[in-house]
């Protein structure tokens, strides 16, 4: 269903490159001119569900080696000294509403990423980081070996049945990237069952490798495939390729059997594409500010220049999205802002009809649509029905809606999955996800209301549940489940009988036992009395809960994103050393329903930061840790969180990791030429209005660095990041170096061949995890010395 299983547009997901700085007529710019801007093309948000990448966010199967409590020892200091790089200062003034801001590091922004002086500074920062961390290289190598040693390198994903084939991804020992494979179904006439297993072995149908990313990636420092779409007749594949990290895609169409390309690739497009039958594709392009604004119909065998534009969204507050119905009979095109979404439908069997309106454009009304039989099913949210209601309407009379599932103040409808005879509703209540399954009347009969409903049972006190691809015509619901101690597990659930069958659990090597770990749900009290949920995990035979244990607290809190607790194998290298890991489910996210989000955005954004501080204070008060043992981490918009709380309460934390952080909020949001800015005025506020200007200035991390002691800090960036430009974290670090009054670690690591999601290879990501872990242990003086014989 469009918009329900799609990742929310935002600094963590929307793709943008900074353009020339521009302001309204009330703004005066003085001194250094802005850097030159090059015309660039980017892409809209991905359709796959992609979490904000946290520390240790590898989705690879990895888990615990034998548990060893690390003895606390101070790393032997090197006799060599190296001064940190100090960025030069060039005065750049910006004035608005009588307020003068001076940015001495604005020169670091270079949209072309070619300024030799800027690149030299980034290299100096990387060299300084490498020098400072050289004394912990033995620990980093040990951590990397642990993390990689937990992974079953030669593995396959849970096969997905599509018609006569099982499709899956294979990883190979020692290889960075996946192979996209398929295998024929042996008995295509048998009805699908939760007990179905893809045959393997010498008597099974042979495996066919459609695409080997390792071969494609060999010529590139960065390689990522986002969309991998098989045509309805299973003969063709369209895939979207990014070879730089800037998320600018080329779409290749190949023969699934021969692997030969059918035509020239579609270039300069987004990864948001769908098959319109077996001979055509719908895809999306962007305007001059990189806003997804047009949807196109491409007929195979024709030039891209001849493609037909089906819809052009001219309002710069809105962006285009595209998704196929579960039935594969319709494609849905939505135009969405942060608070409004309306939908068109494209009948694949009648392409001559082009796009037809389905839900009207009404300010503040957000709609997403699915299809089954002779009905569309609509999820609709409004200010009144903030947690959404579910409606149905006939295909031939879309205005004649009937309420299937009414709005409930305590239960949020997050997404739905339609089947021929069933409806699965993904909901949230009291901060936890759940799945409720309803039986539907036979196709052709009236669809007027939902009755009963069976809930799927889950075992952990805190957990995550995610939507997975299922067969529309079957009674089998597939979903993935995980928790802070349960590796990602794929289940098939029989919606007729209620039977669940585990199809795959991520393999964990090294003697991992989930029963060694404890997961908890805690509640902290915010300054205004609001109860803030926390998810916690630790190894029960190592943690004492007397204040002496080290703790890593993670937060996000933006874009209504639900940061549900899931399993991360790399994290076990902390847990097995006596760390506690906690997630603060702060306002601005969507864990507790729509109002949770509304109370952490715009002029209530500071609730996000004070909630996080309240969670930290609660953990200290309850003796989960002390200030001297508390580390914090956040990424992208979560990096804004880290930057803000560091300025507000630097005394509360021992160490902090700010990954690709969105920290130059006010300057960025004052520039409507930057992709994301206009659409995100509904998220952060429009600082061209005085009230928002001064509110955003009061928390924008770059604008609030001041002379005070800060904890140890690691900041990361990607040179080709199209969502948070490298210059934002670079300016944050430069200003911290200038103004902070302590000698604590301040390290900046900018990957030269990466974007927002860091490097692309799976082992490269594990190496980055090991580096961050070694930084945490160095900051906590937990790096063991090594004997001369071990060197």
């Amino acid at each position: 269903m469009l918009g329900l299983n799609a990742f929310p547009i935002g600094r963590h997901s929307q793709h943008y490159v900074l353009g020339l700085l521009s302001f309204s007529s009330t703004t005066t710019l003085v001194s250094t001119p802005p850097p030159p801007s090059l015309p660039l093309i980017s892409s809209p948000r991905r359709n796959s569900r992609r979490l904000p990448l946290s520390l240790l966010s590898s989705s690879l199967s990895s888990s615990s080696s034998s548990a060893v409590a690390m003895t606390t020892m101070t790393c032997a200091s090197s006799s060599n000294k190296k001064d940190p790089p100090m960025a030069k200062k060039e005065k750049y003034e910006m004035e608005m509403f009588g307020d003068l801001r001076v940015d001495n590091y604005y020169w670091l922004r270079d949209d072309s990423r070619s300024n030799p002086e800027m690149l030299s500074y980034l290299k100096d920062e990387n060299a300084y980081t490498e020098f400072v961390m050289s004394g912990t290289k033995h620990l980093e190598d040990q951590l990397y070996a642990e993390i990689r040693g937990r992974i079953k390198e030669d593995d396959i994903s849970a096969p997905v049945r599509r018609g006569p084939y099982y499709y899956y991804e294979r990883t190979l020992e020692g290889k960075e990237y996946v192979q996209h494979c398929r295998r024929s179904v042996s008995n295509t006439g048998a009805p699908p069952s939760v007990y179905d297993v893809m045959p393997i072995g010498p008597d099974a149908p042979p495996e066919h490798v459609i695409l080997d990313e390792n071969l494609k990636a060999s010529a590139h420092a960065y390689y990522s495939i986002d969309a991998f779409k098989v045509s309805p007749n299973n003969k063709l594949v369209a895939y979207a390729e990014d070879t730089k990290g800037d998320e600018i895609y080329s779409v290749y169409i190949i023969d699934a059997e021969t692997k030969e390309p059918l035509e020239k690739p579609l270039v300069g497009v987004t990864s948001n594409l769908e098959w319109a039958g077996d001979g055509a594709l719908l895809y999306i392009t962007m305007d001059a500010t990189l806003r997804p604004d047009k949807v196109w119909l491409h007929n195979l065998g024709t030039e891209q220049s001849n493609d037909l534009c089906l819809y052009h969204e001219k309002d710069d507050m809105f962006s285009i999205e595209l998704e196929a119905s579960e039935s594969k009979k319709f494609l849905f095109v939505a135009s969405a802002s942060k608070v409004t979404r309306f939908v068109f439908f494209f009948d694949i069997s009648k392409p001559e009809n082009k796009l037809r309106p389905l839900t009207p454009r009404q300010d503040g009304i957000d709609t997403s649509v699915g299809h089954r039989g002779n009905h569309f099913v609509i999820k609709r949210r409004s200010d009144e029905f903030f947690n959404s209601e579910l409606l149905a309407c006939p295909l031939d009379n879309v205005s004649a809606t009937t309420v299937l599932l009414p709005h409930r103040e305590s239960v949020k409808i997050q997404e739905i999955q339609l089947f021929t005879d069933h409806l699965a509703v993904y909901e949230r209540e009291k901060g936890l996800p759940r799945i409720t399954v309803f039986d539907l009347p036979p196709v052709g009969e009236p669809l007027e209301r939902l009755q009963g409903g069976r809930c799927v049972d889950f075992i952990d006190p805190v957990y995550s549940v995610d939507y997975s691809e299922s067969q529309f015509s079957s009674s089998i619901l597939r979903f993935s489940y995980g928790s802070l101690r349960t590796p990602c597990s794929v289940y098939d659930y029989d919606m007729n009988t209620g039977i669940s069958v585990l199809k795959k659990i991520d393999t964990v090597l090294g003697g991992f036992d989930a029963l060694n770990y404890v997961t908890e749900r805690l509640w902290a009290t915010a300054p205004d009395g609001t109860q803030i949920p926390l998810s916690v995990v630790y190894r029960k035979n190592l943690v004492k809960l007397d204040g002496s244990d080290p703790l890593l607290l993670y937060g996000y809190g933006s874009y209504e994103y639900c940061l549900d607790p899931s399993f991360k194998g790399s994290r076990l290298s902390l847990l097995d050393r006596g760390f506690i890991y906690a997630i603060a489910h702060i306002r601005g996210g969507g864990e507790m329903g729509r109002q949770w989000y509304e109370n952490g955005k715009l002029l209530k954004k500071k609730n996000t930061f004070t909630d996080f501080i309240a969670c930290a204070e609660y953990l200290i008060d309850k003796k989960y840790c002390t200030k001297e043992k508390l580390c914090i981490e956040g990424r992208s918009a979560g990096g804004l969180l880290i930057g803000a709380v560091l300025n507000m309460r630097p005394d509360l934390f021992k160490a902090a990791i700010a990954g690709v952080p969105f920290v130059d909020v006010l300057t960025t949001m004052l520039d409507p030429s930057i992709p994301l800015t206009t659409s995100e005025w509904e998220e952060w506020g429009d600082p061209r209005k005085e009230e928002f200007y001064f509110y955003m200035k009061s928390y924008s991390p770059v604008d609030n660095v001041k002379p005070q002691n800060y904890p140890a800090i690691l900041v990361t960036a990607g040179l080709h990041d199209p969502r948070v430009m490298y210059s934002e974290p670079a300016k944050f670090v430069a200003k911290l170096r200038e103004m902070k009054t302590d000698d604590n670690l301040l390290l900046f690591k900018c990957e030269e061949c990466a974007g927002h999601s860091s490097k692309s290879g799976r082992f490269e990501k594990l190496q980055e995890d090991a580096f961050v872990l070694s930084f945490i242990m160095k900051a906590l003086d937990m790096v063991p010395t090594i004997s001369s014989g071990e060197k």
Side-chain angles (χ1 to χ4, degrees), residues 476-496:
I476 310 303
L477 169 70
R478 172 164 289 189
F479 61 86
S480 61
Y481 170 85
S483 76
L484 293 170
R485 66 176 183 179
T486 307
C488 182
S489 309
V490 177
Y491 285 90
D492 278 354
Y493 175 82
D494 190 318
M495 293 181 284
N496 289 324

Side-chain angles (χ1 to χ4, degrees), residues 84-88 105 107-108 115-128 726-727 729-738 746 748 750 752:
M86 300 297 291
K88 74 172 184 178
Y105 305 106
W107 70 271
L108 285 168
N115 179 352
E117 193 170 18
M118 176 273 293
L119 292 172
S120 177
Y121 170 71
L122 295 183
K123 288 182 183 295
D124 288 345
E125 284 285 2
N126 284 340
Y128 176 71
Y726 73 90
S727 56
K731 288 163 61 174
F732 185 53
V733 169
K735 195 167 183 181
L736 281 168
R737 289 208 191 284
E738 173 195 353
L746 173 58
F748 181 41
C750 182
E752 297 181 17

Side-chain angles (χ1 to χ4, degrees), residues 1 4 358-359 366-370 376-380 389-393 398 401 404 416:
M1 171 169 284
L4 297 184
L358 203 164
T359 58
D366 182 316
T367 55
S368 304
V369 183
F376 291 120
V377 178
I378 303 167
K379 171 184 170 286
R380 182 170 68 184
E389 58 182 344
L390 208 58
L391 314 172
C393 67
V398 296
T401 58
L404 296 179
I416 70 168

Side-chain angles (χ1 to χ4, degrees), residues 519-539:
T519 61
E520 296 177 346
R521 168 54 56 92
L522 306 176
W523 298 85
T525 303
D528 62 2
T530 301
Q531 294 294 292
I532 313 298
L534 292 111
S535 300
V536 176
V537 64
Y538 54 87
R539 182 150 184 155

Side-chain angles (χ1 to χ4, degrees), residues 615-631:
C615 289
E617 292 175 330
Y618 172 87
L619 292 167
I620 293 169
D621 181 62
K622 297 300 181 183
K623 297 190 181 301
Y624 280 81
C625 64
T626 62
K627 294 179 181 180
E628 292 72 27
K629 295 291 185 72
L630 177 55
C631 306

Side-chain angles (χ1 to χ4, degrees), residues 336-552:
S337 74
K338 285 290 181 290
V339 299
T340 303
R341 180 187 281 115
F342 57 100
V343 182
F344 300 89
F345 69 95
F346 180 88
D347 188 337
I348 294 174
S349 67
K350 301 175 182 178
E352 66 278 5
N353 290 345
K354 302 178 184 178
L355 290 186
R356 299 174 61 186
L358 203 164
T359 58
R361 182 175 189 149
Q362 295 177 284
D363 186 46
I365 305 296
D366 182 316
T367 55
S368 304
V369 183
H371 165 256
R372 177 257 189 189
N374 55 348
H375 289 88
F376 291 120
V377 178
I378 303 167
K379 171 184 170 286
R380 182 170 68 184
R381 183 199 56 75
S382 65
D383 289 342
E384 180 182 4
F385 302 135
F386 51 84
N387 275 333
S388 299
E389 58 182 344
L390 208 58
L391 314 172
C393 67
L395 300 185
D396 56 1
N397 188 4
V398 296
S399 62
T401 58
T402 301
V403 176
L404 296 179
L405 196 60
H407 173 261
R408 293 155 292 170
E409 292 197 4
S410 62
V411 179
K412 174 185 176 181
I413 301 174
Q414 193 153 332
E415 57 186 300
I416 70 168
Q417 195 168 4
L418 280 162
F419 296 81
T420 302
D421 298 317
H422 299 89
L423 168 66
V425 182
Y426 290 74
E427 302 173 310
R428 305 191 68 85
E429 185 173 20
K430 298 179 180 179
L432 293 175
R434 73 183 186 198
I435 305 174
T436 305
V437 175
F438 296 91
D439 295 333
L440 296 178
V443 171
E445 292 188 5
L447 185 56
E448 297 176 343
R449 63 185 181 276
L450 300 177
Q451 293 181 326
R454 178 192 293 118
C455 290
V456 182
D457 295 325
F458 303 113
I459 58 175
D460 291 291
V462 291
Y463 55 87
S464 61
V465 176
D466 288 308
Y467 175 107
S468 293
E469 181 181 343
S470 305
Q471 295 184 75
F472 173 73
S473 60
S474 77
S475 62
I476 310 303
L477 169 70
R478 172 164 289 189
F479 61 86
S480 61
Y481 170 85
S483 76
L484 293 170
R485 66 176 183 179
T486 307
C488 182
S489 309
V490 177
Y491 285 90
D492 278 354
Y493 175 82
D494 190 318
M495 293 181 284
N496 289 324
T497 65
I499 295 174
S500 292
V501 175
L502 178 65
K503 308 305 291 186
K504 178 178 175 59
I505 184 169
D506 281 358
T507 303
V508 177
L509 304 178
F512 169 74
D513 184 350
L515 296 179
N516 290 331
Y517 302 88
V518 175
T519 61
E520 296 177 346
R521 168 54 56 92
L522 306 176
W523 298 85
T525 303
D528 62 2
T530 301
Q531 294 294 292
I532 313 298
L534 292 111
S535 300
V536 176
V537 64
Y538 54 87
R539 182 150 184 155
K540 60 186 177 183
N541 64 333
L542 296 179
V543 168
K544 299 174 286 298
L545 298 180
D546 61 358
S548 65
D549 304 305
L551 188 147
L552 177 60

Side-chain angles (χ1 to χ4, degrees), residues 180-201:
H180 299 265
C181 307
R182 76 180 181 188
R183 196 184 294 260
S184 296
V185 175
S186 298
N187 185 1
T188 57
S193 165
V194 292
Y195 301 109
D196 287 344
V197 176
M198 182 180 73
I200 57 175

